[in-house]
Amino acid sequence: QRPIAVHGLENLTRCDKGVAMLRQLLKRAIGGLQNGEDPGVSPLRIEGRIPTYCHDTVVKAPIAPGATEAQDLDAVQAIGAAITGIVVRGDHHTAPDRQDKVRHLIREYRSSHESHPSRQS
């Protein structure tokens, strides 16, 4: 670790895809600002700031018995999309107790799917 990251020394893996994508977006936005372009408006501004999100939520992925590998992948992707939706969308983002609300929504989602293993989001 360094006080300032030297990206050329990093060995990003597929798990770092979101980090790389965010860096690309920021690099393009900075370049646009340098060229006098408008940075655009995020629909999720909070007190003038544009929120960014990173999360490492872990939930069980209930897979139907006898499911194929493709069905497993589809189920995991659907669960990931649903959890990400909870984390990045909703009125709760401006609430002072946002983290508690997100945790509660994820628990509700998880419990609604634990009793229905064949359900995919």
Side-chain angles (χ1 to χ4, degrees):
Q1 285 286 35
R2 301 169 184 269
I4 297 177
V6 179
H7 296 179
L9 297 176
E10 294 177 338
N11 293 308
L12 298 180
T13 68
R14 65 183 180 91
C15 296
D16 298 313
K17 185 176 180 180
V19 171
M21 290 171 62
L22 178 61
R23 287 179 181 168
Q24 289 171 357
L25 287 169
L26 291 171
K27 186 176 180 178
R28 278 196 294 262
I30 291 168
L33 285 171
Q34 290 172 333
N35 293 328
E37 297 172 15
D38 184 348
V41 177
S42 168
L44 295 173
R45 286 188 179 254
I46 300 170
E47 298 175 1
R49 298 177 306 220
I50 300 171
T52 57
Y53 299 96
C54 176
H55 67 97
D56 59 354
T57 304
V58 177
V59 297
K60 286 184 181 180
I63 305 301
T68 66
E69 188 174 330
Q71 290 169 322
D72 283 352
L73 180 60
D74 288 345
V76 169
Q77 287 176 338
I79 292 166
I83 297 294
T84 299
I86 291 169
V87 172
V88 301
R89 294 182 192 92
D91 295 336
H92 55 276
H93 289 285
T94 56
D97 60 344
R98 177 187 174 278
Q99 286 186 335
D100 292 333
K101 289 181 184 286
V102 168
R103 283 188 190 105
H104 175 74
L105 290 168
I106 289 172
R107 283 186 188 115
E108 279 184 346
Y109 173 83
R110 187 183 66 203
S111 66
S112 73
H113 284 72
E114 284 175 350
S115 59
H116 304 320
S118 62
R119 232 164 122 177
Q120 296 183 15
S121 180

